C-alpha cells in the first residue's frame, strides 16, 4: 500500500500527479499540464494539453500565442483526469483567471494554490478557503516584515501626489498582467474618472480584461497623445520603462512603482522610485499564516519564496510542514 499523498510528487520544475500522468505549472513542455494562472513562470507553452480557466487560456494565447490542446475549466467545475483523479479549479484572487487546483484521489484532498492573495480585488474573484489534507502554498512574501497596507491608503498617496503637482504626470510602473489592471480599477473605485494613459505594451492585456467584464474606464495611449495633454494625469507603464528613453516624452514625470517589494526601501532606491506604492498581488505574512490556520490541513507544503521562515512558523505552531525546492519561479515585479 502506498504511503499517504505519495501520488503527489514534487520535482524541481513542477508538481507531478502520478496516477493522472500530468503536471501542475510545469517549467517545461509536457503531455498534460494543469495551469494555475497566466504569469510566465507558471504558464509555459508547448504542452500537448493545457487545462486552465478560460481567462488563463486567453492570457496564454495573447502573451505567447499558446493555444495548443487548450482545455477550459470554469471555477467550481470538476474534471476527471486519468487514474480517476478529480481536479476542481477554485478562485485564487491573484490575477484574472487565477485558480487554486483541488486534486482528489483515493480519499485524499490536495490543494495547490499557485500564487494567491486574500485582499479584495475588483479585477478577479476572491480567494476561497478550501479544506484539504495537504495544502501547497506559495511564500513569495513569507517573512514577518512583509505586511501590505490597505490599498485605499496607497491610492490616496498616488492621487495626493497627482493633485500636488498639476503640471506633472505620475508615471506608475506596474507589472503588465494583473498589477496594471488592478491599479487602474482601484483608481476608478477611488473616484478617479480622468483618462489614464498607457504605454503601448499594456494596451492588449487591458483590453483583454475589459473583454472579460473588468471596467477600466477611459484608457488612452501615450503614443497618440501630445505631451502637454498628459499634465495632471496618471500614466501606467511596465517597470522596465520607468527610467527608459520612452519616459522622456512625458511632462515632468514623477516616478512611482506598484509592488509588494516597495516595502523594502532599498528596492525603491535601486529603481529611482520617488513614490513607492506597496501594492501586492500575493499574500503577505499575516495572510499566509491566517490561511494555513483556516485551511487546517494535515500537512503544509511550502514553495515559491521565503520557505524557511514559514516552515519555522509551522513548526512553532505544531503544524507538519515541508519546503519544496521548485526552480524557475521568478521574483517578478509583481
Amino acid at each position: 500500500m502506498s504511503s499517504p499523498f505519495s501520488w503527489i510528487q514534487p520535482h524541481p520544475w513542477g508538481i507531478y500527479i502520478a496516477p493522472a500522468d500530468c503536471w501542475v505549472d510545469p517549467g517545461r513542455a509536457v503531455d498534460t499540464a494543469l495551469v494555475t494562472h497566466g504569469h510566465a513562470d507558471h504558464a509555459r507553452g508547448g504542452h500537448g494539453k493545457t487545462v486552465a480557466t478560460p481567462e488563463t487560456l486567453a492570457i496564454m494565447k495573447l502573451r505567447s500565442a499558446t493555444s495548443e490542446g487548450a482545455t477550459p475549466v470554469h471555477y467550481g467545475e470538476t474534471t476527471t483526469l486519468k487514474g480517476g483523479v478529480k481536479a476542481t479549479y477554485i478562485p485564487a484572487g491573484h490575477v484574472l483567471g487565477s485558480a487554486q487546483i483541488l486534486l482528489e484521489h483515493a480519499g485524499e484532498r490536495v490543494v495547490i494554490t499557485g500564487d494567491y492573495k486574500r485582499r479584495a480585488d475588483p479585477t478577479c474573484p476572491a480567494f476561497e478557503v478550501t479544506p484539504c489534507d495537504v495544502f501547497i502554498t506559495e511564500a513569495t512574501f513569507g517573512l514577518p516584515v512583509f505586511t501590505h497596507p490597505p490599498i485605499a491608503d496607497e491610492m490616496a498617496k498616488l492621487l495626493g501626489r497627482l493633485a500636488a503637482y498639476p503640471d506633472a504626470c505620475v508615471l506608475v510602473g506596474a507589472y503588465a498582467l494583473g498589477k496594471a489592471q488592478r491599479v487602474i480599477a482601484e483608481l476608478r473605485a477611488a473616484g478617479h474618472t480622468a483618462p489614464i494613459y498607457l504605454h503601448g505594451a499594456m494596451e492588449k492585456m487591458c483590453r483583454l480584461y475589459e473583454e472579460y467584464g473588468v471596467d477600466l474606464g477611459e484608457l488612452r495611449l501615450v503614443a497618440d497623445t501630445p505631451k502637454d495633454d498628459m499634465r495632471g494625469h496618471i500614466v501606467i507603464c511596465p517597470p522596465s520603462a520607468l527610467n527608459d528613453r520612452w519616459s522622456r516624452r512625458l511632462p515632468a514625470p514623477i516616478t512611482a512603482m506598484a509592488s509588494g517589494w516597495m516595502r523594502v526601501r532599498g528596492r525603491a532606491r535601486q529603481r529611482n522610485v520617488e513614490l513607492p506604492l506597496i501594492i501586492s498581488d500575493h499574500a503577505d505574512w499575516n495572510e499566509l499564516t491566517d490561511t494555513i490556520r483556516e485551511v487546517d490541513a494535515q500537512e503544509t507544503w511550502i514553495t515559491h519564496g521565503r520557505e524557511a521562515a514559514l516552515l519555522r512558523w509551522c513548526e512553532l505552531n505544531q503544524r507538519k510542514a515541508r519546503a519544496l525546492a521548485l526552480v524557475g519561479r521568478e521574483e517578478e515585479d509583481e
Side-chain angles (χ1 to χ4, degrees):
M1 183 176 179
S2 62
S3 60
F5 320 124
S6 60
W7 54 281
I8 301 286
Q9 300 172 9
H11 290 258
W13 51 275
I15 297 174
Y16 182 59
I17 315 304
D21 190 23
C22 69
W23 295 80
V24 176
D25 291 350
R28 62 182 70 172
V30 298
D31 288 338
T32 302
L34 312 184
V35 175
T36 60
H37 68 282
H39 280 141
D41 56 336
H42 293 257
R44 303 180 189 273
H47 307 307
K49 179 180 179 182
T50 301
V51 183
T53 63
E55 297 90 339
T56 293
L57 292 171
I59 288 167
M60 292 176 70
K61 185 175 181 179
L62 175 63
R63 299 190 98 192
S64 59
T66 296
S67 59
E68 66 271 22
T71 304
V73 56
H74 295 271
Y75 291 130
E77 180 182 346
T78 299
T79 183
T80 301
L81 308 171
K82 286 196 301 184
V85 177
K86 293 182 178 180
T88 306
Y89 281 56
I90 299 165
H94 178 55
V95 297
L96 180 72
S98 61
Q100 309 169 76
I101 302 176
L102 166 64
L103 298 167
E104 299 175 276
H105 177 67
E108 298 169 347
R109 292 164 55 93
V110 175
V111 167
I112 302 173
T113 65
D115 292 337
Y116 70 98
K117 68 175 179 291
R118 301 297 303 271
R119 307 294 176 97
D121 181 340
T123 70
C124 62
F127 179 95
E128 295 181 11
V129 173
T130 303
C132 56
D133 302 303
V134 173
F135 184 59
I136 303 179
T137 177
E138 63 135 316
T140 301
F141 290 108
L143 289 172
V145 68
F146 289 113
T147 54
H148 306 323
I151 195 167
D153 293 355
E154 303 306 284
M155 291 297 102
K157 283 166 50 178
L158 173 53
L159 293 172
R161 186 66 64 94
L162 184 69
Y165 295 90
D167 291 329
C169 69
V170 179
L171 176 61
V172 182
Y175 203 66
L177 167 55
K179 185 62 58 61
Q181 296 77 24
R182 184 183 178 203
V183 167
I184 294 168
E186 293 287 1
L187 283 167
R188 301 311 188 196
H192 184 71
T193 58
I196 292 174
Y197 293 86
L198 300 178
H199 185 288
M202 321 296 278
E203 183 186 22
K204 289 183 179 179
M205 189 61 70
C206 288
R207 298 307 178 197
L208 187 147
Y209 265 65
E210 290 175 329
E211 289 173 13
Y212 280 93
V214 180
D215 184 7
L216 300 178
E218 185 179 357
L219 304 176
R220 299 179 183 175
L221 287 176
V222 169
D224 296 340
T225 308
K227 184 173 183 176
D228 284 344
D229 288 2
M230 290 181 282
R231 295 188 188 278
H233 288 281
I234 292 170
V235 180
I236 311 288
C237 72
S240 60
L242 275 178
N243 299 296
D244 187 67
R245 289 179 59 189
W246 173 87
S247 65
R248 296 177 189 172
R249 71 183 68 193
L250 304 175
I254 298 165
T255 58
M257 185 166 171
S259 171
W261 299 113
M262 291 296 99
R263 172 66 73 184
V264 182
R265 293 181 181 179
R267 298 263 184 142
R269 287 194 296 269
Q270 288 170 6
R271 294 274 192 168
N272 295 317
V273 169
E274 302 169 63
L275 180 63
L277 301 171
I278 306 169
I279 301 172
S280 177
D281 286 333
H282 294 266
D284 68 9
W285 173 259
N286 291 329
E287 292 162 354
L288 289 168
T289 55
D290 287 349
T291 303
I292 292 171
R293 285 195 188 97
E294 291 171 32
V295 171
D296 198 25
Q298 294 178 34
E299 297 185 19
T300 299
W301 297 0
I302 306 163
T303 187
H304 191 183
R306 280 74 198 150
E307 295 99 336
L310 200 55
L311 182 63
R312 180 60 177 159
W313 180 89
C314 287
E315 292 171 350
L316 292 173
N317 286 272
Q318 292 77 53
R319 294 185 177 276
K320 188 175 181 180
R322 59 181 287 199
L324 308 183
L326 301 189
V327 299
R329 296 292 186 248
E330 299 171 2
E331 189 178 280
E332 75 271 10
D333 287 318
E334 66 86 40

